[in-house]
Amino acid sequence: MKWVNHEIVTGVIVFGATGDPLAAVFSMAGAILPDKVEGRPGADYWSWRARHRGWSHWPVIYIAIYAIMQLGLLPHGADVERGISFLAIGALLHIAEDAVCGKVPFLLPWQKVGVRLFKVGSVAEYLFSMAVVILTYIIHAQSMVK
Ligand SMILES: [Zn+2]
């Protein structure tokens, strides 16, 4: 999935779930984190390609970061822990979003799972992203009615 769609889909889902703009901003930063830590393809494309969607896309790392943040170990660090928690959530959503247009690691970093609903950057990807946004809006609107 393109970064712009990662940002939109992740930001909308987190804002829909929390109603907190700051949480949405942190999750949007996290939404490109797994790709950012891989670095740019650069001179050695095949070396980058081999690492692509490897460790950086292993959900267990981000679940662990999230879990550690829930322990509240940082003194007076509640805001920091909340920020890092939403970074981790953003990264997890990124991985889930990648899993619908290719394969990502799951329980083990080398064991990849996923479906290919569309090609990265295709019209279908934009339609999929729009559908998620609309669905989130509908779910959010219904939760407001109750
Ligand atoms: Zn990715």
Side-chain angles (χ1 to χ4, degrees), residues 31-45:
I32 52 169
L33 190 69
D35 286 345
K36 274 271 183 195
V37 295
E38 282 182 350
R40 298 210 157 267
D44 196 351
Y45 176 80

Side-chain angles (χ1 to χ4, degrees), residues 1-11 97 121-122 125-127 129-130:
M1 193 177 269
K2 294 246 179 207
W3 280 10
V4 57
N5 289 326
H6 275 304
E7 297 283 31
I8 293 168
V9 169
T10 303
E97 289 151 16
S122 63
E125 179 185 314
Y126 287 88
L127 292 175
S129 303
M130 268 171 60

Side-chain angles (χ1 to χ4, degrees), residues 86-107:
F86 277 104
L87 267 175
I89 288 171
L92 286 168
L93 285 167
H94 172 107
I95 296 163
E97 289 151 16
D98 272 356
V100 293
C101 53
K103 287 188 185 296
V104 292
F106 185 47
L107 294 176

Side-chain angles (χ1 to χ4, degrees), residues 57-74:
H57 285 57
W58 190 31
V60 173
I61 292 173
Y62 303 101
I63 292 168
I65 292 171
Y66 180 84
I68 290 165
M69 288 304 122
Q70 304 315 302
L71 299 175
L73 298 175
L74 294 176

Side-chain angles (χ1 to χ4, degrees), residues 14-15 18 20-28 82 86-87:
V14 171
F15 185 72
T18 63
D20 179 355
L22 202 62
V25 167
F26 274 102
S27 69
M28 285 168 81
R82 189 169 152 77
F86 277 104
L87 267 175

